[in-house]
Amino acid sequence: MAKESGLGWTGLSVDDSGGTLRDIRNDCTNMEFATPRAVQDVTGVDKYAMERLLLLTDMSMTLNLVFNPAANMSHDVFKTVPSSSIAREFTLTVSGQTLGTTPLCTLLPTDYALTRGADGSLVGQVPMVLANGAVPTWTSA
């Protein structure tokens, strides 16, 4: 099994407010995503170690972006976040592995924050959370 770096992502797409999937990987400088599971403590008083049950799956993702107001790029995709409540389809693809397309997960962007740095840079940050109850699943592309 080959080990790989995080270089060379072949896909990062998010729906715009009209429901069209847009490739925004060129605007994304870095991201983080997590697919945690909730747990329930079911440890009885007869135990000397924790006993737990796995519960619901969740997902969160935060994209860090360079401001790009060109048509169909990141600003165009996220500019409606403050004024709409639209869940977004997404895909993350690396090395033939895709997260987000099957089953069809949707994420709710909860903010579109822009920061103008002291150095003159203009960057954005978009946190998103699971919207539709579909379990995020990695598939082979």
Side-chain angles (χ1 to χ4, degrees):
M1 179 177 274
K3 296 179 182 179
E4 296 184 22
S5 71
L7 302 176
W9 280 73
T10 57
L12 169 58
S13 298
V14 179
D15 271 356
D16 62 19
S17 61
T20 301
L21 210 55
R22 304 292 184 189
D23 181 356
I24 59 168
R25 67 190 146 145
N26 186 256
D27 294 347
C28 186
T29 59
N30 64 306
M31 73 180 88
E32 57 185 67
F33 55 94
T35 53
R37 296 282 303 268
V39 294
Q40 178 181 354
D41 178 358
V42 295
T43 308
V45 294
D46 62 331
K47 300 289 191 253
Y48 288 93
M50 298 300 294
E51 187 177 15
R52 296 181 176 95
L53 296 175
L54 283 173
L55 301 174
L56 296 174
T57 300
D58 200 0
M59 180 173 181
S60 63
M61 179 165 53
T62 301
L63 302 177
N64 295 293
L65 309 161
V66 174
F67 183 76
N68 184 350
N72 303 326
M73 297 309 288
S74 60
H75 179 68
D76 219 18
V77 169
F78 296 116
K79 67 185 179 186
T80 60
V81 168
S83 59
S84 66
S85 301
I86 299 169
R88 312 295 178 101
E89 294 177 11
F90 72 98
T91 60
L92 298 173
T93 305
V94 63
S95 190
Q97 304 299 308
T98 300
L99 177 64
T101 54
T102 307
L104 200 53
C105 286
T106 58
L107 298 176
L108 283 172
T110 60
D111 194 8
Y112 175 45
L114 294 174
T115 302
R116 195 277 189 182
D119 61 357
S121 61
L122 184 57
V123 296
Q125 187 173 65
V126 182
M128 297 186 278
V129 294
L130 190 61
N132 67 344
V135 176
T137 305
W138 285 96
T139 59
S140 295

